[in-house]
Amino acid sequence: MLQVNLGACSLLLLLLAPATSAGDYPPTAKGLSYDFYRRNCPKAETVGCDASVLLARTATEASELDAPPNETIRPSALMAVAQLRALLDNACGGAVVSCADILTLAARDSVRLVGGPEYKVPLGRRDGAAAIATRERVVAAFPLPSSNVTTLLAAVAKIGLDATDLVALSGAHTLGVSRCISFDDRLFPERDPAMDTLFAAHLKLSCPAKNTTNTTAIDVRTPNAFDNKYYVDLLNRQGLFTSDQVLFSDGRTRGLVAKFAVDQKAFFRRFSFSMVKMSQIQVLTGVQGEIRANCSVRNAGGAT
Ligand code: HEM
Ligand SMILES: *[C@@H]1O[C@H](CO)[C@@H](O)[C@H](O)[C@H]1NC(C)=O
Ligand SMILES: *[C@@H]1O[C@H](CO)[C@@H](O)[C@H](O)[C@H]1NC(C)=O
Ligand SMILES: *[C@@H]1O[C@H](CO)[C@@H](O)[C@H](O)[C@H]1NC(C)=O
Ligand SMILES: *[C@@H]1O[C@H](CO)[C@@H](O)[C@H](O)[C@H]1NC(C)=O
Ligand SMILES: *[C@@H]1O[C@H](CO)[C@@H](O)[C@H](O)[C@H]1NC(C)=O
């Protein structure tokens, strides 16, 4: 979500501006609130995961950036978060806003800036202080892009998400790029018959052989806009990953894909809902965890 090329300053301005919008929201987890920073950092008043994905590799332990989905996070995204951290610390007079909330807000603002829905996010989530983001756990929790719907549904069910959340959140693939290696098994040694012929030929321009190091847009129609064209891609057998295309071939999710492809408002409503739901998974609040001073490393003296 952080791939949008924006200066940290414009993101900060958005962090300070309340995002208000009507719509349905899932229940708010205990300890989170929509105006969490009003008192201790009013400038960040409106300012997911527990930001453990940001942990840099250290000599002593493998962190989330070492696991196979490792290279999926662009270094520029980590730098953007570090810049936001510095700007917010300056505005708040210290480390007040958690890295987890910075990510939630950056995602919200990035989506909005490229044409997506405007939604509110509950804040107050704290950063993980324990060594929970190990390589093994990430591998176990992260579905591969070659997954079928059975595997995807089982993976999201473990974190309290359902088929509608899966289809709506996969709509984030309307943005961003992928390395060839995440999908070239669908091109070589031969084309996955579930993939449109012309689309396969188009992809081979970026990825001419197996294991090449290029990247390509995930949403072939409107790669830089947050819209519902990702679902139109799927209807045309132009989904990039198997985990995208199967959402249209499997009867359990096909109806939702077809609906979002023709009803962008319905997609935006459900995407907002599911993003808020996702931001509250396994949430740490109150005195749990920590507010990381550096989003890439746990604070010194943190729990083990
Ligand atoms: C349902 C399971 C999912 C799978 C299997 C999956 C898989 C992937 C893969 C393989 C990539 C390309 C990484 C690379 O090779 O560079 C990617 C990129 C991306 N994914 Fe997902 N993803 C999933 C869910 C999500 C969700 C829930 C979101 C957000 C709500 C999301 C947002 C993105 C974005 C924005 C990118 C582009 C990143 C960039 O441009 O740097 N994905 N995903
Ligand atoms: C990514 O993970 C693979 C193993 O899955 C490892 O070989 C590679 O060195 C890692 N890349 C980075 C940049 O950490
Ligand atoms: C889905 O993928 C899993 C893991 O690869 C496999 O064991 C299972 O048989 C597949 N299910 C279906 C319905 O294809
Ligand atoms: C990388 O992809 C671009 C188009 O997306 C293509 O013009 C270029 O030739 C590709 N590079 C390699 C090394 O295949
Ligand atoms: C591609 O790379 C993978 C992992 O590095 C390796 O197992 C595989 O043999 C390579 N395939 C080709 C065609 O080079
Ligand atoms: C944060 O930690 C990373 C990884 O150890 C380090 O490279 C970076 O310089 C640190 N940033 C600051 C501002 O200290």
Side-chain angles (χ1 to χ4, degrees), residues 9 36 48 108 139 198 202:
C9 289
F36 186 81
R108 181 199 75 182
V139 173
L198 287 176
H202 160 81

Side-chain angles (χ1 to χ4, degrees), residues 205-208 214-216:
L205 297 176
S206 302
C207 313
N214 227 348
T215 58
T216 196

Side-chain angles (χ1 to χ4, degrees), residues 139-279:
V139 173
F142 218 91
L144 294 169
S146 56
S147 302
N148 58 35
V149 171
T150 301
T151 301
L152 293 170
L153 286 175
V156 300
K158 277 193 195 159
I159 49 173
L161 301 178
D162 60 24
T164 311
D165 297 314
L166 170 66
V167 175
L169 291 172
S170 293
H173 287 171
T174 183
L175 292 178
V177 298
S178 169
R179 296 160 309 145
C180 299
I181 206 172
S182 297
F183 60 85
D184 63 11
D185 59 323
R186 303 189 67 205
L187 299 173
F188 309 104
E190 67 261 332
R191 175 180 56 93
D192 176 348
M195 185 188 282
D196 169 58
T197 315
L198 287 176
F199 182 54
H202 160 81
L203 291 176
K204 283 183 183 174
L205 297 176
S206 302
C207 313
K210 192 129 174 66
N211 290 353
T212 54
T213 56
N214 227 348
T215 58
T216 196
I218 303 180
D219 170 13
V220 67
R221 286 188 163 66
T222 51
N224 299 315
F226 194 101
D227 57 20
N228 66 338
K229 293 294 192 295
Y230 161 83
Y231 301 102
V232 177
D233 298 339
L234 302 188
L235 262 55
N236 288 285
R237 307 198 311 147
Q238 294 164 346
L240 188 60
F241 308 130
T242 295
S243 60
D244 295 319
Q245 195 57 54
V246 291
L247 298 176
F248 188 61
S249 55
D250 192 296
R252 288 169 288 181
T253 45
R254 181 187 301 136
L256 290 162
V257 171
K259 180 183 169 65
F260 291 153
V262 296
D263 188 347
Q264 180 163 282
K265 274 193 183 146
F267 164 50
F268 279 13
R269 262 196 312 274
R270 184 62 200 207
F271 180 81
S272 304
F273 182 96
S274 296
M275 283 295 278
V276 174
K277 204 169 157 185
M278 187 168 69
S279 77

Side-chain angles (χ1 to χ4, degrees), residues 13-25:
L13 290 176
L14 285 152
L15 295 183
L16 304 180
T20 49
S21 70
D24 295 333
Y25 287 91

